[in-house]
Amino acid sequence: MEETANYKILLVDDEPDILEFIGYNLKKEGFKVSTANNGEDALKLAQSENPHLIVLDVMMPGMDGIETCEEIRKVPSLRDSLIVFLTARGEDYSQIAGFDAGADDYITKPIKPKVLISRVKALLKRYKPGTAAKSEDNDSKISVGDLIIDREKYVVISGDNELVLPKKEFELLLLLASKPDRVFTRDEIYTSVWGDNIIVGDRTIDVHIRKLREKIGQEHIKTIKGVGYKFVD
């Protein structure tokens, strides 16, 4: 209980029954829980409370979960918050869309309380405040070729353009650019960017690489067939 009491969780769902069910089970485990029933309120609450984990329903009226996630990821003070999507079985939901928006994982509902608590605890083990802004030499920026990657602002400067990338795209670029010309295997990329506890589709990395190339130029990231990818300076 003492360990879980240190964590703040924000639940966002437009269904009162879901908020009550999940909130009850998390509070029973000792977590500090706050709730919102729409995206606009969730964004305000997240900024005021700085939760460690945000459990976010995908399908909501007005600002849906994807849009809410994208807006949350634009707030510098929330860049370390973990975001997990709630999605109903059979719902037309794309993992790629969720990860593109900056999500860390997703949970399919309905879900059994023990499974829910287990997933939440596994996610929170990955919470490492400030890691995105740190490097071995504590420099907040790295320059590689014609790119400047700013860890603190979560932006990439390419020539005269400032690019704000979704969280996973930024972390993927940062990983590859941290060691130019070093080949990162697909397994290494999965573990570093998505974590050991996340199961994502085989095409997830490929889609993120394609989107990065569209934004920073095709020449920077080279495919090593059957192995992985490397950043070319």
Side-chain angles (χ1 to χ4, degrees):
M1 286 286 190
E2 289 183 11
E3 181 183 350
T4 58
N6 294 324
Y7 289 111
K8 294 180 289 185
I9 299 177
L10 171 60
L11 302 180
V12 189
D13 199 300
D14 62 325
E15 296 183 39
D17 290 348
I18 297 292
L19 289 180
E20 184 179 352
F21 169 74
I22 295 179
Y24 169 78
N25 284 284
L26 291 174
K27 287 176 183 176
K28 195 167 69 170
E29 287 293 315
F31 293 107
K32 296 176 182 176
V33 179
S34 54
T35 61
N37 58 18
N38 62 74
E40 291 84 356
D41 288 348
L43 184 58
K44 294 175 185 175
L45 205 53
Q47 288 175 288
S48 65
E49 298 198 358
N50 252 345
H52 300 87
L53 173 67
I54 301 170
V55 181
L56 187 59
D57 185 33
V58 174
M59 301 298 289
M60 295 186 293
M63 185 187 290
D64 67 18
I66 301 289
E67 293 175 278
T68 304
C69 183
E70 290 173 339
E71 291 304 311
I72 288 171
R73 286 302 182 212
K74 292 176 184 177
V75 181
S77 62
L78 297 173
R79 68 165 175 250
D80 293 317
S81 295
L82 297 165
I83 297 178
V84 56
F85 276 133
L86 274 177
T87 176
R89 285 193 177 92
E91 203 166 73
D92 184 15
Y93 169 70
S94 165
Q95 283 188 46
I96 298 296
F99 290 130
D100 262 358
D104 295 284
D105 199 359
Y106 74 99
I107 293 173
T108 302
K109 57 182 181 181
I111 186 169
K112 294 180 180 178
K114 286 185 179 180
V115 177
L116 170 69
I117 298 303
S118 176
R119 292 287 294 276
V120 166
K121 287 181 177 179
L123 276 163
L124 286 170
K125 284 180 182 178
R126 296 167 48 209
Y127 182 84
K128 297 176 182 177
T131 51
K134 295 177 182 177
S135 65
E136 292 177 1
D137 58 4
N138 291 322
D139 189 357
S140 66
K141 298 179 182 179
I142 61 172
S143 297
V144 194
D146 59 349
L147 299 179
I148 298 174
I149 303 172
D150 191 324
R151 296 176 175 87
E152 289 187 353
K153 294 182 179 178
Y154 251 65
V155 298
V156 177
I157 299 170
S158 176
D160 295 326
N161 298 319
E162 184 176 284
L163 308 174
V164 180
L165 303 178
K167 184 183 179 186
K168 293 305 179 188
E169 283 181 34
F170 184 87
E171 291 177 353
L172 175 56
L173 176 61
L174 186 58
L175 174 67
L176 296 176
S178 66
K179 295 181 179 178
D181 291 322
R182 179 199 188 280
V183 179
F184 287 87
T185 67
R186 297 176 72 86
D187 285 344
E188 286 176 317
I189 295 172
Y190 276 130
T191 300
S192 297
V193 179
W194 281 273
D196 291 324
N197 298 313
I198 305 299
I199 300 174
V200 295
D202 290 339
R203 292 188 58 250
T204 300
I205 291 179
D206 303 328
V207 171
H208 281 71
I209 290 289
R210 175 174 58 78
K211 289 180 177 292
L212 273 177
R213 283 171 170 160
E214 290 171 356
K215 295 170 184 176
I216 67 172
Q218 301 289 329
E219 70 279 4
H220 287 298
I221 300 175
K222 184 176 180 181
T223 302
I224 308 302
K225 195 171 181 180
V227 182
Y229 296 93
K230 72 175 181 178
F231 187 93
V232 180
D233 184 354

